[in-house]
């Protein structure tokens, strides 16, 4: 079989890329070291926040708006339930990065939003024990994606459109060929193609070692708690997705009870995890880290501090500025790469797939990706 493009890594970004390439009639080979929608990378754990008033930088807003369209298209194509709109609340003090940044994006891109003071936050969302100087930016269109279902939907459609997908086949190395293509060697075979897309997630430091990108893999926990006094105040419709930037530097986020009363309510801290590597990460959850989470909950969302139902370890792959890396490989233009999603990439996966397909097929993209050039680290 002759392939036009090999996609190395079929997680969030790779599954979307395989799909977009397949819709364009490209003969795709996808290689994944584990099974479909597995739990050993960065894309497991039931839910991922999607929001529009993007505090990180207004430059992300056009990309996230396109991602909403593409997620809805994928739902229509597959009949899968991928995106739930719950409303979203960004919390912090006036001028804090989350508040100032969200407001800047909302104003720059004319996004509907409401500003709430502490009293209004407590009245509308009773679980939040906000101090008097905390304010909120609320947006209706924020919500949650189901990451495993999103990846499966992209993979299923890619396969239906003719992509060849090999699971449990780790790629060991890749190299440019004399003819201007690429050769990828896996544990069991060698493949050649005209183009290669590297979407290796937390394994990017290994697969892109030649570039010396300043990527740091960070261990992060997701924890599901059973609320004290019942799940009712946390049901979707009553309780939003949220990001809370506390003045003491603690940043946390969470979701409503997306899977009914028995599913628990998911909570996590944004950053503050230990540096690790994809192959050596400690997947055990330790009592001391659960206790540290409880200390935050006791202060900020006391009714969520009930029995711990489960917890999992996941990985962020951070860049120094927390902006992504999406580009042609600097010395091998037949290779395209996407890495360093810094704990906020999932919501963009659908549009990143479109961008990587553009770069591979057309050499360029209409999407604004200037922020993501690896040359900024030079
Ligand atoms: C706890 C947690 C919470 C998060 N919350 C949010 C959120 O609310 N909203 C949001 O937008 N983002 C969130 N993120 C970030 C988001 O999930 C990631 O940015 C995104 O999933 C990264 O996708 P990826 O495709 O780069 O990595 P992955 O999905 O991990 O895919 C990489 C794939 O490459 C495969 N691979 C690697 N090397 C090889 C090889 N040599 N051969 C074959 N296959 C290989 C891996 O097995 C893996 O399947 C969160 C992340 C974590 C960990």
């Amino acid at each position: 079989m002759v392939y036009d493009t090999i996609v190395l890594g079929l997680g969030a970004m790779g599954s979307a890329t395989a799909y977009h390439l397949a819709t364009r009639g490209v003969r795709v080979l996808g290689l994944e070291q584990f099974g479909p929608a597995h739990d050993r990378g960065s894309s497991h754990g039931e839910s991922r926040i999607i929001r529009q008033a993007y505090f990180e930088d207004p430059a992300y807003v056009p990309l996230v708006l396109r991602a909403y369209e593409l997620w809805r298209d994928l739902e229509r194509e597959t009949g899968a339930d991928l995106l739930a709109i719950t409303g979203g609340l960004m919390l912090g003090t006036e001028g804090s990065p989350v508040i100032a940044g969200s407001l800047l994006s909302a104003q720059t891109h004319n996004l509907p939003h409401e500003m709430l003071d502490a009293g209004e936050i407590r009245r509308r969302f009773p679980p939040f024990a906000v101090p008097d100087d905390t304010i909120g930016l609320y947006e209706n269109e924020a919500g949650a994606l189901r990451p495993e279902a999103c990846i499966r939907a992209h993979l299923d459609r890619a396969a239906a459109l003719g992509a060849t997908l090999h699971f449990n086949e780790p790629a060991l190395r890749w190299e440019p060929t004399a003819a201007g293509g690429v050769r990828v060697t896996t544990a069991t075979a060698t493949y050649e193609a005209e183009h290669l897309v590297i979407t290796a997630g937390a394994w990017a430091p290994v697969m892109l070692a030649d570039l010396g990108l300043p990527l740091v893999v960070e261990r992060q926990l997701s924890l599901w708690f059973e609320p004290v006094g019942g799940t009712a105040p946390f049901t979707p419709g009553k309780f939003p997705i949220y990001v809370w930037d506390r003045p003491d530097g603690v940043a946390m986020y969470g979701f409503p009870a997306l899977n009914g009363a028995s599913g628990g309510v998911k909570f996590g801290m944004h950053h503050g995890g230990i540096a690790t590597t994809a192959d050596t990460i400690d997947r055990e959850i330790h009592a001391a880290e659960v206790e540290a989470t409880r200390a935050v909950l006791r202060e900020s969302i006391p009714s969520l501090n009930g029995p711990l139902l489960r917890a999992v370890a996941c990985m962020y792959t951070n860049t120094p500025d927390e902006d992504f890396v999406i580009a042609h490989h600097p010395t091998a233009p037949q290779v395209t790469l996407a890495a360093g999603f810094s704990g906020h990439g999932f919501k963009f996966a659908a549009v990143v797939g479109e961008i990587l397909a553009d770069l591979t097929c057309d050499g360029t993209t209409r999407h604004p990706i200037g922020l993501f050039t690896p040359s900024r680290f030079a």
Side-chain angles (χ1 to χ4, degrees), residues 53-282:
Y54 217 64
F55 65 79
E56 288 86 342
D57 197 308
Y60 286 90
V61 175
L63 295 173
V64 83
L65 295 179
R66 176 63 179 150
Y68 273 80
E69 288 177 5
L70 290 167
W71 291 122
R72 289 305 191 201
D73 289 349
L74 188 62
E75 282 187 319
R76 273 188 293 273
E77 262 183 67
T78 58
D81 184 8
L82 305 178
L83 168 57
I85 298 299
T86 64
L89 185 60
M90 302 297 114
L91 294 167
T93 51
E94 197 162 350
S96 62
V98 164
I99 293 294
S102 302
L103 200 52
L104 178 65
S105 276
Q107 288 167 343
T108 307
H109 293 282
N110 271 315
L111 302 170
H113 65 283
E114 286 174 76
M115 297 307 295
L116 310 180
D117 64 18
E120 190 67 7
I121 294 164
R122 292 181 203 121
R123 196 183 61 74
R124 283 176 58 177
F125 309 109
F128 293 119
V130 289
D132 289 339
D133 62 353
T134 298
I135 59 173
L137 182 148
Y138 182 80
E139 58 172 327
N140 261 318
E141 291 305 309
L145 290 158
R146 297 186 179 276
E148 292 88 350
C150 290
I151 292 174
R152 281 182 192 280
H154 273 142
L155 293 175
D156 289 350
R157 285 301 296 148
L161 290 162
T164 304
L165 307 177
H166 290 185
F167 294 95
N168 304 305
E169 184 172 345
L172 303 179
R173 61 180 181 275
W174 64 272
E175 66 244 330
T177 60
V182 288
R183 184 178 305 114
V184 176
T185 306
T186 72
T188 49
T190 297
Y191 307 95
E192 287 192 8
E194 279 174 37
H195 298 277
L196 171 65
V197 181
I198 302 180
T199 44
W203 287 263
V206 183
M207 281 294 126
L208 296 170
D210 58 316
L211 291 185
L213 295 172
L215 301 175
V216 176
V217 176
E218 182 183 12
R219 177 175 172 277
Q220 290 284 309
L221 302 187
S222 303
L223 306 99
W224 285 259
F225 291 95
E226 183 183 322
V228 180
T231 305
F234 291 92
T235 50
K238 286 190 180 158
F239 194 71
I241 64 92
Y242 59 94
V243 178
W244 188 344
D245 187 6
R246 291 201 326 191
D248 61 359
V250 169
M252 61 188 125
Y253 65 91
F255 299 82
L258 293 169
N259 290 312
S262 60
V265 178
K266 184 175 149 185
F267 177 82
M269 312 287 276
H270 189 44
H271 295 299
I274 57 163
T276 184
T277 72
D279 289 319
T280 59
I281 180 176
D282 176 10

Side-chain angles (χ1 to χ4, degrees), residues 8-14 31-34 38 41-43 48-49 169-171 199-201 203 207 220-222 253 255 314-316 341 343-347:
L8 195 167
L10 296 176
M13 309 304 163
L31 296 172
E32 167 56 48
Q33 62 184 339
F34 302 128
H38 63 85
S42 302
S43 302
R48 288 293 185 269
I49 289 175
E169 184 172 345
T199 44
W203 287 263
M207 281 294 126
Q220 290 284 309
L221 302 187
S222 303
Y253 65 91
F255 299 82
C314 178
M315 292 179 284
Y316 286 1
F341 287 93
H344 64 114
F346 195 90
K347 62 183 78 62

Side-chain angles (χ1 to χ4, degrees), residues 291-312:
E291 188 40 49
T293 307
R294 289 193 180 284
V296 171
L297 287 177
R298 264 194 294 275
E299 276 178 26
S300 297
I301 318 179
S303 61
L304 194 51
N305 190 25
L308 178 68
L309 300 180
R310 66 191 180 100
V312 296

